[in-house]
Amino acid sequence: MPARRIALAALAALILLLGGGIGAGVWKGGWESAPKLALDLEGGTQIILQAQSRDGSSIDAAAMEQARQIMSQRVNAMGVSETEITVQGGTNIVIDVPGQLDQETSQAIRQTAAMSFRPVLGMVAPEGTGEALPSDGGGASDGGGEASDGGGEGSEESSRPQVDPAQHHFDGLLGTDSSMAPPAPPAEGELPYPAWTMDWLTPEIQTELMSADCTDPSTQQDKVAEASADEPVVACDPDGTVKYLLGPEVVAGSAIESSGVASDVNQTGQATGYYVVNMSFSEEGAQAFGDMTTALYGGQGATGAFGIVLDGLVISAPEVQEPSTGGEASISGNFSQDQASQLSDQLRFGALPLEFEVASEQQISATLGADQLQMGLIAGLIGLALVVLYAFAQYRLLALVTTSSLLIMGLLTYATLTVLSNIPEIGYRLSLAGVVGLIVAIAFTADSFIVYFERVRDEIREGRGIVAAVDHGWDRAKRTILASDAVNLIAAVVLYALSTGGVRGFAFVLGLTTILDLVIVFLFTHPLLQSLVQSRFFGKGHPWSGLDPASLDRQVPAYAGRGRVRATHERGRRGAATEDEEPREPLAVRRARREREAAERAAAAGSTTAAGSIAGDRSERGGTVDESTTDPAVEPDSAEDDSEEQSR
């Protein structure tokens, strides 16, 4: 099979693959048949968060920028693209989310409190009836051990069975005797006793534990978020099924340097089908976390578990199965990949240096954006029409290749953006800046065609046949096209990496269309032109084909027969003669003139022969002959002239 057919077949397969994927996604549900639009074109929700420092100190720009970056990472980790998060006024963060704001994204944005690690002192039923058990019955692992999460996400089998909180009583409750209360902390920033001991059970915390209602977690959430780090708290899990008594904060969430998801394996190294969450701490956090896990594993704590608190809710309460002293730990609990990824994102992006409260939330209309989109599409159509008109004026019917290539380019771009919009991990949304990128793409896509066609026409002017000119012109043009698109792609990558907001949308579309331009030129434009020159219309250089050698003023010698070639100025040119040229002589007149000239030369030759005989007689008599009177005639090559006439 010729290479051109393979290229066209590959392009057709790519289009069918994209179209089939979109069709299957729409048919099964969940996908849209068009690219999703960004905030400036579709509208959306604007949330303004006002920052407050925890200790009442002034808010600096560095802390605000750090908070903005963490919020951006939270939202981007959920696959919500084209979300604009900016700092305004020094103390406000403005979040613009395109489209309808779903519940999951709203919760991720509003989770603005700090994360903390606290030891679990006990766990009771959510209603606060006093029925409890001393631990969560789950498990956790650190750097070398396995764990399970008792937060309702499934757990591994452990040495002791799972226990219903309603079947046991909390054994560590103290009486109302104030003498049994722990002494006040000896110094600021220092705890009077370890955070994981039962010494923290004061009558006040006992009363709060029994009265708190975790069937509605939001009622206790604000209290936990506002509690001091050196005090015990009563917290709920997000599902409202368990109530935790937690000791003071041991490790702040800001001490987490990284977290990730990995496959869980058993003791033989085989995958279990579940996932674990790996996390690492800073040097200071690693020391505190190691002390806590060592104490809990050694039985020095009220329980062997610790709670991870985010925004006043216990998102996980794993039990330590092995001390972690190296600054790394892992949490396992029969997690699915989605559950593990969610917990990893919460660990990685959960800690903010400031506290925030929602100052306002409003819907943004897309009326202005819709008008701008309409005007942008009109501008794009006008530009496309001008390119097509220029192509027909310059390249005649060869412009059909340009037009069809632009149409295929548009189809591929539309399909690719639609697929990227429907993939949750990418979640691309087309903004007004992206529309500008699409309009610019028309220009440099047409530029690739012009480079190719001009190279082919240059080869024809140099004397090559049309079929050979296409192949040789492509060899020269593709290097130029690759260099040009490489520059565009580098510019797009740099612009995307260094910019934010709508500018990144422009850079993304610019880079995508640059790659698609190469796909179109290599898989469609060149193979299509190779196929067209096999036809008589284009292969023979019809005047309307755009490849006519005569209209291109091909300046090469022509064969005149008998081993002779004639330069351009020796050949008759098509059309009427110019003012400086003599009028062309008809063939009949030319032949009559040549016959007359031949007769005159014959007569002259006869008279010359007679004069020669007289001179011979005189020489015999010893006389002299004046050689200047002789007029020898050299007969021209009439056959060559006839051949030239016939060729004309």
Side-chain angles (χ1 to χ4, degrees), residues 467-553:
V467 176
V470 170
D471 295 333
H472 286 81
W474 169 248
D475 291 337
R476 297 172 57 188
K478 67 182 179 182
R479 293 192 294 268
T480 305
I481 295 174
L482 287 172
S484 175
D485 285 344
V487 172
N488 288 336
L489 189 59
I490 293 174
V493 171
V494 173
L495 189 61
Y496 184 87
L498 300 180
S499 61
T500 58
V503 180
R504 298 189 74 181
F506 170 79
F508 180 83
V509 173
L510 180 64
L512 175 64
T513 51
T514 299
I515 296 174
L516 293 180
D517 174 50
L518 293 175
V519 172
I520 293 298
V521 172
F522 278 81
L523 297 184
F524 184 76
T525 306
H526 175 55
L528 179 61
L529 187 56
Q530 282 184 312
S531 301
L532 289 178
V533 296
Q534 301 298 323
S535 65
R536 181 177 181 83
F537 183 84
F538 286 93
K540 297 298 182 180
H542 190 279
W544 279 95
S545 67
L547 300 174
D548 180 21
S551 62
L552 297 176
D553 295 330

Side-chain angles (χ1 to χ4, degrees), residues 117-119 195-196 248-252 255 281-296 306 324-327:
F117 290 76
R118 295 171 178 259
W196 43 83
E249 177 183 298
V250 176
V251 181
F281 296 87
S282 62
E283 183 177 355
E284 181 179 357
Q287 179 64 39
F289 187 77
D291 294 342
M292 180 179 66
T293 55
T294 301
L296 296 180
F306 64 89
S324 174
T325 57

Side-chain angles (χ1 to χ4, degrees), residues 372-637:
Q372 293 175 336
L373 176 61
Q374 182 179 4
M375 297 303 296
L377 293 177
I378 293 176
L381 292 176
I382 293 175
L384 180 61
L386 292 176
V387 170
V388 172
L389 290 177
Y390 170 80
F392 273 98
Q394 181 71 15
Y395 301 109
R396 305 296 190 269
L397 293 183
L398 193 61
L400 293 175
V401 178
T402 302
T403 305
S404 57
S405 297
L406 288 173
L407 293 177
I408 298 297
M409 175 73 172
L411 179 62
L412 275 181
T413 304
Y414 181 87
T416 304
L417 292 180
T418 301
V419 171
L420 295 178
S421 295
N422 287 285
I423 296 178
E425 291 76 10
I426 300 177
Y428 173 78
R429 287 181 176 270
L430 181 63
S431 62
L432 187 61
V435 175
V436 175
L438 293 176
I439 297 175
V440 173
I442 298 176
F444 63 74
T445 301
D447 180 67
S448 298
F449 306 148
I450 293 175
V451 170
Y452 181 27
F453 294 159
E454 289 301 325
R455 290 291 186 268
V456 173
R457 299 176 88 176
D458 287 343
E459 294 292 331
I460 294 176
R461 291 187 183 97
E462 293 176 1
R464 294 189 185 276
I466 294 178
V467 176
V470 170
D471 295 333
H472 286 81
W474 169 248
D475 291 337
R476 297 172 57 188
K478 67 182 179 182
R479 293 192 294 268
T480 305
I481 295 174
L482 287 172
S484 175
D485 285 344
V487 172
N488 288 336
L489 189 59
I490 293 174
V493 171
V494 173
L495 189 61
Y496 184 87
L498 300 180
S499 61
T500 58
V503 180
R504 298 189 74 181
F506 170 79
F508 180 83
V509 173
L510 180 64
L512 175 64
T513 51
T514 299
I515 296 174
L516 293 180
D517 174 50
L518 293 175
V519 172
I520 293 298
V521 172
F522 278 81
L523 297 184
F524 184 76
T525 306
H526 175 55
L528 179 61
L529 187 56
Q530 282 184 312
S531 301
L532 289 178
V533 296
Q534 301 298 323
S535 65
R536 181 177 181 83
F537 183 84
F538 286 93
K540 297 298 182 180
H542 190 279
W544 279 95
S545 67
L547 300 174
D548 180 21
S551 62
L552 297 176
D553 295 330
R554 180 167 64 180
Q555 304 292 325
V556 295
Y559 184 67
R562 297 179 63 181
R564 295 179 63 249
V565 295
R566 289 177 295 147
T568 304
H569 66 276
E570 296 176 345
R571 302 198 313 261
R573 300 182 60 184
R574 296 184 180 182
T578 62
E579 296 180 357
D580 297 336
E581 296 177 347
E582 297 181 358
R584 295 182 58 183
E585 192 176 33
L587 182 59
V589 175
R590 184 179 182 84
R591 287 180 177 175
R593 179 177 57 79
R594 287 186 175 180
E595 292 177 355
R596 183 172 62 255
E597 291 176 352
E600 292 177 354
R601 287 197 297 270
S607 61
T608 303
T609 303
S613 60
I614 296 174
D617 294 341
R618 291 181 178 179
S619 62
E620 292 177 355
R621 294 194 294 267
T624 61
V625 179
D626 186 2
E627 294 181 359
S628 63
T629 59
T630 62
D631 185 18
V634 180
E635 184 176 356
D637 190 353

Side-chain angles (χ1 to χ4, degrees), residues 182-260:
E188 183 179 358
E190 296 183 1
L191 299 178
Y193 25 73
W196 43 83
T197 66
M198 292 296 293
D199 297 330
W200 292 99
L201 277 171
T202 64
E204 292 78 7
I205 197 65
Q206 172 187 334
T207 302
E208 182 180 353
L209 175 66
M210 302 306 296
S211 61
D213 184 11
C214 280
T215 56
D216 182 10
S218 60
T219 60
Q220 194 70 12
Q221 184 176 4
D222 292 339
K223 295 181 181 179
V224 178
E226 296 173 359
S228 175
D230 57 358
E231 297 178 356
V233 295
V234 177
C236 309
D237 76 325
D239 298 329
T241 58
V242 184
K243 181 165 50 178
Y244 295 94
L245 175 60
L246 305 176
E249 177 183 298
V250 176
V251 181
S254 57
I256 297 179
E257 291 186 342
S258 64
S259 66

